[in-house]
């Protein structure tokens, strides 16, 4: 996961861990764990994030599937 790119998108859209977690229906602690590679995002969560931040397929790949 490219945490820096993900957090830059969050900031660009005015989101914090709390606001994004609420949108996703998860606890802020769960979002933090997922951002720190301690848990995986579900497909549903990735789709919601893609929609919220108007991400391209390339951006989704870069954020969620980067090594």
């Amino acid at each position: 996961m490219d945490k820096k790119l993900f957090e830059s998108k969050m900031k660009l859209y005015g989101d914090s861990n709390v606001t994004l977690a609420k949108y996703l229906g998860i606890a802020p602690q769960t979002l933090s764990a997922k951002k720190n590679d301690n848990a995986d995002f579900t497909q549903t969560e990735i789709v919601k994030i893609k929609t919220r931040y108007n991400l391209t397929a390339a951006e989704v790949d870069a954020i969620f599937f980067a090594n």
Side-chain angles (χ1 to χ4, degrees), residues 9 13 48-57 59-60:
K9 291 293 184 181
Y13 284 83
K48 285 183 173 183
I49 291 166
K50 178 181 186 258
T51 301
R52 186 171 181 94
Y53 299 148
N54 197 29
L55 300 176
T56 65
E59 289 173 319
V60 169

Side-chain angles (χ1 to χ4, degrees), residues 6 10 15-32 41 45 48-49 52-53:
F6 183 48
M10 287 176 64
D15 267 336
S16 66
N17 276 2
V18 172
T19 58
L20 182 58
K22 185 175 182 178
Y23 171 75
L24 295 174
I26 60 177
Q29 296 85 351
T30 303
L31 177 59
S32 181
F41 284 92
E45 291 165 347
K48 285 183 173 183
I49 291 166
R52 186 171 181 94
Y53 299 148

Side-chain angles (χ1 to χ4, degrees), residues 1-12 35-37 62-63 66:
M1 169 168 200
D2 188 333
K3 184 178 175 181
K4 288 182 182 182
L5 180 56
F6 183 48
E7 289 181 338
S8 71
K9 291 293 184 181
M10 287 176 64
K11 287 180 184 176
L12 182 65
K35 285 172 51 181
N36 290 311
D37 284 331
I63 291 170

